Amino acid sequence: MSGAALTLRGVGLAYGRRQVLHGIELQIGAGERVCLVGPNGAGKSSLLRCVTGLASGRQGTVLLDGVPLEEVSREALARRVAVVPGQVQLPFATRVREVVALGRLPHEHPLLGPRPADLAAVEAAMERVGIAHLADRDARELSLGERQLVVLAMAVAQGGGLLILDEPTVHLDLRHQVEVMRLLVDLSGRDGLTVVAVLHDLTLAAHFFGRVVLLDQGRIVADGAPREVLTADRIRAVYGLDDASLPLAIPFAERPGIPRLESSAANASRSSTVT
Amino acid sequence: MSAGVVSEPARRALQAARWEALRRRPLRLLVLGLGALLFSLIVGIAFGNVAVSIDDTLAILGHRLLGLPQAAERSAAAEVIVMELRLPRVLTAMAVGCGLAVAGTVLQGLLRNPLADPYVLGTASGAALGAAVALLVPVQVAVLGLGLIHLLAFAGALLAVWLVYRLAGGSAAGSLTSILLTGYAVGSLLAAGLSLAMYLAGANLRQIFFYLLGSFATASWQQLAVGLPLVAASSALILMRARSLNALLLGEETALHLGLDVRRERGILLALASLVTAASVALAGLIGFVGLVVPHVVRLAVGPNARHVLPLSAVFGASFLVLADLVARIPGELPVGIVTAVVGAPFFLSLLRRFRQGYDL
């Protein structure tokens, strides 16, 4: 499966009269791994909604592999773009395997249902995310973190060239945060998927993403390698941290995606999320 | 990332077996349900205040429906009872049971609310008000064997849902909560109209009351000829949209991400479910509990996959209502709604207690 390229030209979005995104210009190549960071309300999630076709009244152009989003049908889009939902609630008792299988809906036969390949993709996705042992549990009995892995597995099963994640690690413990990040590295490195994720944890962003896009007040403030984007001064300015005594040492990896996570990194992860 | 305790081939085999079991269980239940349907058909025809022996029932059905040669002479009375009274009645009960169970499955899935039933969007009060108005109007109209009461009940149910849908913002912005609340408000308003109609009805009160509790006593071939195709066609169209219901399981936003045109599918499913409900209500009045309980019982057995839940609900809803009608006939025409509640509620409660671990409303 090859990655999809994403181009945003002059993308803006307004909720009512409040403009939340201003003229976003962004070019993401196939197979690239990009992290969106920024303070709450910076427009990260709104930007994702523009890319997934959920935002109504979007201004500007979004191109998926050079084709305007409007010209792609919902179903065709679902085969090419998988979105990891944030909070989901299930109205009925549902096995983990059944939730993950929902990811195959855009691929299965409309009348006859899943094909053998769909079932295989579900099993493979559960193993890859490391929740195969939960397959027969009721998804509603799981912890928040486990549920987050379940919907991640659903998106992995869905496949497609572009994977979009909105804060995929909020409820995860440190080990699972790292494992999810490694999975994203693997998905982009081995499978060639394009990965776009919103993260609040700047340490994880710096460690596992080759490119970081910093947003503030609906505009792109900086875009590039973590070391260049996430400077202490810029972070202080964007996040409004005027206390210079706060430690903001982000341990940048020599090569992003190759984790060098030690106790110092764990401490930094704590301090950088105090925003 | 995976636990390497079990060997790889063994684990693969185990997974394959689980998929097999998951897929085979609904199929086995479907066979069981079809058997139950056949059983309820025969028992529902044979028993009643005048019993016809099972042999005679089978012989008459075989002769008249399948064209089998008639073995012996039978009383004309038995033939009339079977063909003109019991068979249309049993088939009507089947259609209504199937329709209500399917509509209940759709509305629970669409509104993502386990407490939803076919009547939740004002259908019940709309139909009841229509029926009450029909009883108040001193005009006798009959179209295709349908009295004014059936026509107005059908129209009332559809009108109520349409009103709810429009008031809740139609396909555009209507959130699920606003649809549910609008349904409740419109329902209350129509119920007030119903109370007024009952107050004015005086002597006709008993008739309205009978209608509100549901009954198959007036079932006839003519009514069935109009009602059955409506229920069958709408149910079939709903069954073909199982994928849409599945996509909605995680909410509308995720459904969009899974490629579903949520607005369109929600409108179509709502229209079909309302059509089934209105037809069922027009045929038999308001019969509670079938549309609420049957889908839940089925989900307890096979999980929430609409591809399994819809057909199984249809089959078990149909046979359940035939048997409930049989129970209602034995003491002499009790309203069948009383039976469904008396039988359904304790059964449902016992199931909930048994499955409490994995199933809380």
Side-chain angles (χ1 to χ4, degrees):
Chain A
M1 201 174 306
S2 60
L6 192 65
T7 308
L8 280 75
R9 281 196 205 127
V11 168
L13 184 68
Y15 294 135
R17 263 185 296 170
R18 199 166 54 88
Q19 190 80 21
V20 292
L21 286 177
H22 307 266
I24 301 287
E25 302 282 335
L26 197 58
Q27 177 83 44
I28 296 174
E32 220 178 331
R33 202 164 64 248
V34 178
C35 183
L36 303 179
V37 298
N40 291 330
K44 306 181 295 293
S45 297
S46 298
L47 188 58
L48 289 190
R49 292 174 70 86
C50 287
V51 174
T52 58
L54 235 59
S56 57
R58 161 176 58 80
Q59 305 130 19
T61 320
V62 178
L63 303 173
L64 187 67
D65 281 333
V67 181
L69 218 52
E70 294 76 25
E71 291 171 23
V72 186
S73 77
R74 271 246 79 92
E75 207 177 326
L77 193 66
R79 287 193 213 105
R80 292 167 63 188
V81 181
V83 183
V84 179
Q87 289 292 340
V88 291
Q89 277 193 320
L90 285 158
F92 314 110
T94 312
R95 287 167 198 264
V96 166
R97 178 180 274 115
E98 291 173 313
V99 179
V100 177
L102 293 177
R104 297 304 296 177
L105 287 180
H107 303 274
E108 68 175 41
H109 190 285
L111 289 181
L112 302 178
R115 303 176 175 90
D118 295 318
L119 306 186
V122 171
E123 299 299 330
M126 286 195 297
E127 278 189 29
R128 201 150 180 198
V129 179
I131 54 162
H133 60 291
L134 301 175
D136 289 309
R137 293 267 301 276
D138 181 355
R140 306 193 304 179
E141 292 171 355
L142 303 178
S143 73
L144 282 172
E146 286 170 326
R147 263 184 273 173
Q148 209 159 19
L149 294 177
V150 171
V151 289
L152 176 62
M154 184 182 94
V156 170
Q158 192 176 343
L162 174 60
L163 182 65
I164 290 184
L165 311 96
D166 195 351
E167 296 181 36
T169 56
V170 270
H171 296 297
L172 297 179
D173 62 35
L174 193 54
R175 183 174 74 89
H176 284 99
Q177 289 182 21
V178 174
E179 288 193 352
V180 165
M181 289 300 122
R182 280 186 183 146
L183 176 68
L184 297 185
V185 171
D186 195 43
L187 284 170
S188 69
R190 196 141 61 94
D191 301 15
L193 250 65
T194 311
V195 176
V196 179
V198 164
L199 284 183
H200 269 309
D201 192 320
L202 301 180
T203 312
L204 288 180
H207 251 289
F208 293 98
F209 286 82
R211 181 176 168 195
V212 174
V213 176
L214 178 63
L215 276 121
D216 188 28
Q217 295 176 16
R219 290 190 172 81
I220 293 178
V221 179
D223 178 357
R227 199 184 290 273
E228 290 140 28
V229 173
L230 300 175
T231 60
D233 287 347
R234 199 180 272 136
I235 291 172
R236 282 214 170 79
V238 166
Y239 286 89
L241 299 168
D242 34 24
D243 186 356
S245 66
L246 268 176
L248 281 174
I250 291 175
F252 294 103
E254 276 75 50
R255 280 159 54 211
I258 312 299
R260 183 184 52 85
L261 208 86
E262 293 138 24
S263 55
S264 65
N267 292 335
S269 131
R270 289 291 154 268
S271 57
S272 67
T273 43
V274 182
T275 52
Chain B
M1 272 179 142
S2 54
V5 188
V6 194
S7 76
E8 189 63 18
R11 207 151 46 89
R12 290 245 178 269
L14 198 68
Q15 278 171 4
R18 286 211 184 108
W19 273 114
E20 265 311 293
L22 267 182
R23 262 183 306 170
R24 212 179 294 154
R25 192 171 191 193
L27 202 66
R28 230 184 282 145
L29 282 173
L30 189 66
V31 172
L32 184 75
L34 290 172
L37 201 60
L38 193 67
F39 169 77
S40 64
L41 176 82
I42 293 164
V43 171
I45 291 172
F47 293 103
N49 48 7
V50 179
V52 180
S53 76
I54 301 271
D55 283 355
D56 286 356
T57 307
L58 288 176
I60 293 169
L61 286 180
H63 175 61
R64 293 287 295 267
L65 298 181
L66 305 175
L68 298 177
Q70 198 151 12
E73 274 308 302
R74 280 166 222 290
S75 73
E79 199 155 329
V80 169
I81 287 174
V82 169
M83 292 308 297
E84 297 307 318
L85 294 176
R86 301 259 172 89
L87 186 57
R89 180 171 186 151
V90 165
L91 290 179
T92 306
M94 277 185 182
V96 171
C98 159
L100 289 178
V102 166
T105 310
V106 170
L107 282 164
Q108 284 167 3
L110 209 58
L111 300 172
R112 308 186 66 239
N113 191 322
L115 292 176
D117 74 354
Y119 306 136
V120 74
L121 295 184
T123 344
S125 15
L129 184 59
V133 169
L135 290 170
L136 283 178
V137 176
V139 193
Q140 288 295 320
V141 190
V143 185
L144 296 166
L146 300 171
L148 192 62
I149 186 165
H150 304 117
L151 298 173
L152 284 192
F154 184 73
L158 286 186
L159 221 63
V161 178
W162 179 79
L163 197 66
V164 168
Y165 195 60
R166 298 298 308 184
L167 287 177
S171 63
S175 78
L176 295 180
T177 318
S178 84
I179 289 185
L180 259 177
L181 291 176
T182 313
Y184 181 75
V186 170
S188 307
L189 195 67
L190 294 174
L194 176 68
S195 302
L196 182 68
M198 286 171 81
Y199 176 72
L200 295 175
N204 283 331
L205 194 62
R206 205 183 128 77
Q207 235 180 317
I208 299 180
F209 202 62
F210 202 65
Y211 189 80
L212 288 182
L213 290 169
S215 164
F216 294 106
T218 59
S220 70
W221 282 114
Q222 289 110 309
Q223 287 175 23
L224 195 60
V226 182
L228 185 64
L230 210 55
V231 172
S234 306
S235 299
L237 287 174
I238 288 172
L239 254 64
M240 287 162 66
R241 308 198 98 76
R243 185 165 76 144
S244 307
L245 272 185
N246 280 340
L248 285 164
L249 194 63
L250 287 180
E252 305 209 332
E253 207 153 280
T254 307
L256 282 167
H257 291 148
L258 292 174
L260 191 75
D261 187 340
V262 170
R263 288 179 191 178
R264 199 192 65 188
E265 289 300 309
R266 193 170 69 178
I268 292 175
L269 281 169
L270 205 57
L272 288 171
S274 306
L275 212 56
V276 174
T277 309
S280 303
V281 172
L283 280 175
L286 298 174
I287 298 170
F289 242 85
V290 182
L292 174 70
V293 172
V294 172
H296 280 303
V297 173
V298 171
R299 272 193 211 98
L300 283 172
V302 298
N305 186 347
R307 221 173 267 293
H308 302 145
V309 178
L310 282 172
L312 288 174
S313 293
V315 172
F316 282 105
S319 35
F320 172 62
L321 204 48
V322 172
L323 296 177
D325 179 48
L326 181 62
V327 173
R329 270 186 283 154
I330 288 170
E333 290 302 345
L334 272 182
V336 68
I338 294 177
V339 178
T340 56
V342 165
V343 175
F347 181 60
F348 189 47
L349 283 174
S350 76
L351 271 179
L352 279 182
R353 285 177 66 85
R354 257 183 71 193
F355 288 89
R356 182 164 289 168
Q357 293 295 309
Y359 211 83
D360 47 313
L361 290 183

